[in-house]
Amino acid sequence: MKTPKNGLITILCLTLAACGGSGGETKTQSNTPLQSSGELKSRPSVSYSDELIDDITAFTDVAHKVRFFYPSESVAMTNWDAFIAESIIKLAEVEHGERRRIAQELLTGVAPFLQVTQQPPAAPSDSDNVTTWLANSAVKNLVYTRELVSGSYNTLREDERHAQAAHFKTSLLGQTAYVPVYLKQSEAQQGSTYYQYKTYNLGNSVLDKEVCMSTTSRIWAEIQHFWPYFGEVQVDWKPELRKMIASCLHNDAKQTWREVHRSLKLLQDNHINVALPASANPFAGLDWQLPLEVEFVEGKPTVVSGTADALNKVSLGDEVLAIDNVSVNDIVAQKSPWMPIADNLVKSWTLQLALRQSEQTPIEVHLRRPDDTEYSQVLEPLLANEIEFSGQPFLRHYDYYHTVLDNQVHHVIVYNLTPENLSDLKLKLASAKGVILDLRHYPASFEAWRAALGWFVDKRTSAAPMYLHWQSLPDQLGKHAQLAEQYIYPGKLQLRIPMVALSSRMSLSQNEHALAYVQNAGIPILGESTVGINGNVVTSAIFSKNGDSEVKFRYTGMRVTQNDGSVLIAKGIKPTYEVPITRQAVIEKRDNQLESAQSYVTELINSL
């Protein structure tokens, strides 16, 4: 355990988890592993009634509160994924009236000072040496903190990152319970550590109902207790726990995870991703793809690229009306509800899914030309990982990092900058009369773009407001938001010439971080509104074994706003000059955004 220290938070990288009675009596145990009672039994057959699902929901809610906020070595070391899965079986073995007792016995085995009582236990005295959690995340990594710390009860509570209350109140299957968030150091060493299955051999396959329920409850709990955007995204998340647990009863695992995705979609977090085995992944097996790139252009699904053979049959700029006799609008309406994507992107991403299928069967596409004539073509799908589209993709991706356009306007492709090419870029910019900073794709190097932007600022320039949310109580009732400051400083090279930055509908996370600096530096932005998600991600490996895991869950762990403090998530950075990609530009294979940026900078040069 560590003693907490106040100070600045360093952001390393920004992108883009049976003893308390009614009278409060507590028995204690030493910190010893919960041992298996011999050979593990096979998973029993369980019939999951609505009442049992209700009880599992109530139990897992409390279990995760203990997992994240009860401050002991046994809790920190327990394999909670396995503990919860096996506990579900043990709850299912008894009748409803017995489940509260079993739940209490299970939890107090690991957390002996959890008390089922009507009266709150006594708090430690101010001078007691106690242990508590210091956490702004469900997991610890290079950016986020989660660790047990120790100190005097009075001193720790002076730190806003820690709770003022000694306990929190919860309900354990209908009975009032109190869980400590501070324990005396001797108490923090007590409790049994649950390392592995004790009675049943349940494995770690998410196809099994109890493993699935444990997994979905963990996903829900990490969001419930640590996701930092509830103040900005209006969602009633509490009821989703039962829905996500109940989804595990589907015989089709892919349907289970469609339902989980439906819940996650409510969060509007475009970082969210659940990596699943192919047998459970709703997106797995869609290996065959229509040999066309189709994107929404001017609000319509439009052919923007394709293989050379496909483009002999259809034309760039043609509108896609239907795929295999199902209208694109109907496809989007059917699939978008279970895409875990924010509303501002879901139509585009669902469209990409509509272009994929699991078999190599011909696909009929119905299209409309710019002159409003309609026609159909049958196209052979190709393996998605082998498709070679002809020409540039819809969102131009240049393979160089610098070029000179007319009138000495320099096009700097910021997303291709690396520490190795910065020195050469400095020399090339010596002749520049104007600059276009292209941030339409995700940068290759965090250090390189930060260094390069320093050439275009004349004073210390801040990032968009970023907040670490310290959580000392469940349900984010003990939240303390701490501003994590970050700046770019003027570089030795100083360029005071006309310039503009380019944004795109796919600029996200680290792109948006860079564009926020650009905004604060007073540099105009041209292009489209960005994705609308920034902040380091949290990735949790669930049922991890030797570093391997069937399920990995990713979400945003840091809250980032617009420069003025308004909402960024699912809205994005709005450019100074809105210039979407046009249908005519697609037909003529032009980069109309770059052309507009060049015209803008040239006008500024000519006005000097």
Side-chain angles (χ1 to χ4, degrees):
M1 292 180 291
K2 299 181 181 180
T3 300
K5 297 180 180 179
N6 292 317
L8 294 175
I9 303 298
T10 300
I11 306 301
L12 300 179
C13 176
L14 285 161
T15 64
L16 306 7
C19 305
S22 60
E25 177 185 54
T26 302
K27 299 178 183 179
T28 62
Q29 298 169 284
S30 62
N31 184 14
T32 55
L34 291 168
Q35 298 295 325
S36 166
S37 55
E39 185 176 348
L40 295 177
K41 302 177 184 178
S42 299
R43 175 188 178 276
S45 176
V46 176
S47 177
Y48 285 98
S49 65
D50 287 345
E51 184 180 66
L52 177 54
I53 292 297
D54 288 342
D55 290 343
I56 291 169
T57 300
F59 171 78
T60 56
D61 183 17
V62 177
H64 285 295
K65 289 175 179 176
V66 172
R67 173 186 200 155
F68 291 125
F69 298 99
Y70 184 102
S72 75
E73 295 288 351
S74 58
V75 164
M77 297 171 64
T78 281
N79 180 343
W80 284 94
D81 298 333
F83 173 86
I84 289 173
E86 187 164 58
S87 295
I88 289 170
I89 292 288
K90 293 184 177 182
L91 291 173
E93 289 178 320
V94 299
E95 296 299 320
H96 170 71
E98 285 291 297
R99 287 177 191 147
R100 199 275 300 161
R101 178 183 62 81
I102 295 298
Q104 183 179 348
E105 289 178 357
L106 290 166
L107 289 172
T108 53
V110 179
F113 291 94
L114 179 155
Q115 297 187 32
V116 177
T117 175
Q118 295 298 318
Q119 299 299 322
S125 64
D126 285 351
S127 60
D128 281 342
N129 285 322
V130 296
T131 296
T132 192
W133 282 105
L134 178 66
N136 54 32
S137 175
V139 298
K140 181 178 181 178
N141 59 29
L142 291 175
V143 172
Y144 294 114
T145 300
R146 176 168 176 78
E147 58 191 4
L148 289 170
V149 298
S150 60
S152 75
Y153 180 54
N154 186 55
T155 300
L156 287 173
R157 288 191 302 149
E158 290 176 352
D159 186 335
E160 292 180 297
R161 298 173 295 176
H162 293 304
Q164 291 298 302
H167 304 81
F168 64 85
K169 180 180 177 181
T170 190
S171 176
L172 182 60
L173 277 72
Q175 295 292 311
T176 299
Y178 286 89
V179 181
V181 291
Y182 293 95
L183 286 174
K184 296 177 183 179
Q185 288 192 25
S186 59
E187 296 171 342
Q189 300 300 317
Q190 299 178 43
S192 296
T193 301
Y194 183 102
Y195 288 114
Q196 55 191 357
Y197 291 125
K198 180 182 177 184
T199 306
Y200 296 105
N201 183 13
L202 300 180
N204 67 346
S205 172
V206 75
L207 299 180
D208 293 330
K209 289 181 174 61
E210 296 75 30
V211 171
C212 176
M213 291 178 183
S214 177
T215 298
T216 56
S217 74
R218 176 172 171 182
I219 289 172
W220 176 89
E222 291 200 19
I223 294 296
Q224 174 72 8
H225 302 306
F226 293 99
W227 189 66
Y229 283 100
F230 280 121
E232 298 183 358
V233 178
Q234 300 306 308
V235 52
D236 186 7
W237 186 243
K238 192 78 174 177
E240 299 306 311
L241 174 58
R242 191 191 190 283
K243 295 177 186 177
M244 291 167 71
I245 288 173
S247 71
C248 295
L249 300 181
H250 287 293
N251 291 325
D252 179 0
K254 293 188 177 183
Q255 182 59 31
T256 291
W257 288 95
R258 289 187 190 99
E259 294 298 321
V260 174
H261 285 163
R262 189 184 298 268
S263 293
L264 293 173
K265 178 182 173 60
L266 298 173
L267 302 173
Q268 300 288 293
D269 182 344
N270 283 321
H271 273 150
I272 279 183
N273 181 62
V274 185
L276 293 160
S279 53
N281 188 343
F283 308 115
L286 302 177
D287 299 327
W288 297 92
Q289 180 176 335
L290 193 71
L292 298 173
E293 184 185 5
V294 182
E295 284 282 356
F296 281 96
V297 179
E298 299 177 4
K300 299 177 180 179
T302 303
V303 176
V304 297
S305 185
T307 63
D309 183 60
L311 292 179
N312 286 327
K313 300 176 181 179
V314 304
S315 299
L316 294 177
D318 287 356
E319 179 186 356
V320 178
L321 300 175
I323 299 173
D324 281 338
N325 297 313
V326 181
S327 76
V328 170
N329 288 336
D330 286 347
I331 293 172
V332 170
Q334 291 165 10
K335 297 181 183 295
S336 61
W338 53 268
M339 294 285 285
I341 306 297
D343 292 341
N344 64 332
L345 280 187
V346 71
K347 283 181 63 177
S348 177
W349 287 37
T350 305
L351 178 60
Q352 306 315 308
L353 184 66
L355 306 179
R356 305 285 289 267
Q357 61 183 32
S358 58
E359 298 177 351
Q360 190 184 8
T361 54
I363 303 171
E364 183 179 0
V365 185
H366 191 65
L367 306 102
R368 180 160 52 206
R369 299 184 180 93
D371 63 6
D372 287 336
T373 60
E374 297 183 12
Y375 68 104
S376 294
Q377 282 287 357
V378 175
L379 301 174
E380 293 290 334
L382 301 174
L383 285 171
N385 60 0
E386 296 180 3
I387 287 182
E388 293 186 7
F389 289 134
S390 176
Q392 281 283 354
F394 167 66
L395 183 57
R396 294 299 177 96
H397 194 292
Y398 297 97
D399 56 6
Y400 50 83
Y401 65 88
H402 170 270
T403 193
V404 181
L405 307 175
D406 292 342
N407 302 309
Q408 286 299 309
V409 175
H410 287 227
H411 183 201
V412 178
I413 297 79
V414 180
Y415 54 82
N416 284 338
L417 295 183
T418 65
E420 292 74 25
N421 58 36
L422 287 180
S423 295
D424 185 54
L425 179 60
K426 277 185 183 181
L427 296 175
K428 291 178 176 179
L429 288 175
S431 62
K433 292 183 178 180
V435 172
I436 299 168
L437 301 172
D438 197 332
L439 275 160
R440 289 181 290 179
H441 290 280
Y442 198 85
S445 169
F446 179 76
E447 295 81 5
W449 69 254
R450 279 175 52 84
L453 288 187
W455 306 339
F456 305 101
V457 302
D458 58 2
K459 60 183 178 181
R460 186 182 75 167
T461 302
S462 67
M466 304 177 291
Y467 297 92
L468 295 168
H469 283 211
W470 299 92
Q471 307 290 355
S472 59
L473 291 171
D475 304 318
Q476 306 197 27
L477 296 177
K479 177 180 70 179
H480 171 64
Q482 181 178 11
L483 179 66
E485 298 180 336
Q486 192 177 80
Y487 301 95
I488 282 178
Y489 295 89
K492 292 182 180 180
L493 175 65
Q494 286 289 287
L495 295 169
R496 300 292 169 263
I497 54 179
M499 65 186 73
V500 70
L502 286 174
S503 66
S504 79
R505 64 175 73 176
M506 294 309 296
S507 297
L508 83 162
S509 197
Q510 200 176 135
N511 291 74
E512 293 172 305
H513 190 52
L515 286 164
Y517 279 117
V518 167
Q519 272 189 332
N520 276 335
I523 301 170
I525 299 172
L526 184 150
E528 296 183 89
S529 293
T530 62
V531 167
I533 194 63
N534 190 10
N536 286 74
V537 298
V538 175
T539 301
S540 292
I542 305 177
F543 279 92
S544 179
K545 183 176 181 181
N546 299 323
D548 189 24
S549 174
E550 273 209 334
V551 180
K552 289 185 174 68
F553 175 49
R554 186 187 71 198
Y555 56 97
T556 311
M558 180 185 298
R559 181 168 64 93
V560 182
T561 69
Q562 305 272 10
N563 283 321
D564 63 2
S566 60
V567 173
L568 172 72
I569 186 170
K571 295 184 181 299
I573 294 174
K574 185 176 177 61
T576 317
Y577 304 103
E578 187 79 30
V579 180
I581 297 172
T582 65
R583 187 180 193 181
Q584 195 61 35
V586 170
I587 294 171
E588 296 174 0
K589 302 180 182 180
R590 296 185 293 105
D591 185 348
N592 67 291
Q593 292 176 326
L594 180 60
E595 291 172 355
S596 294
Q598 184 179 356
S599 296
Y600 173 80
V601 173
T602 299
E603 285 183 17
L604 291 179
I605 293 171
N606 292 337
S607 68
L608 295 177

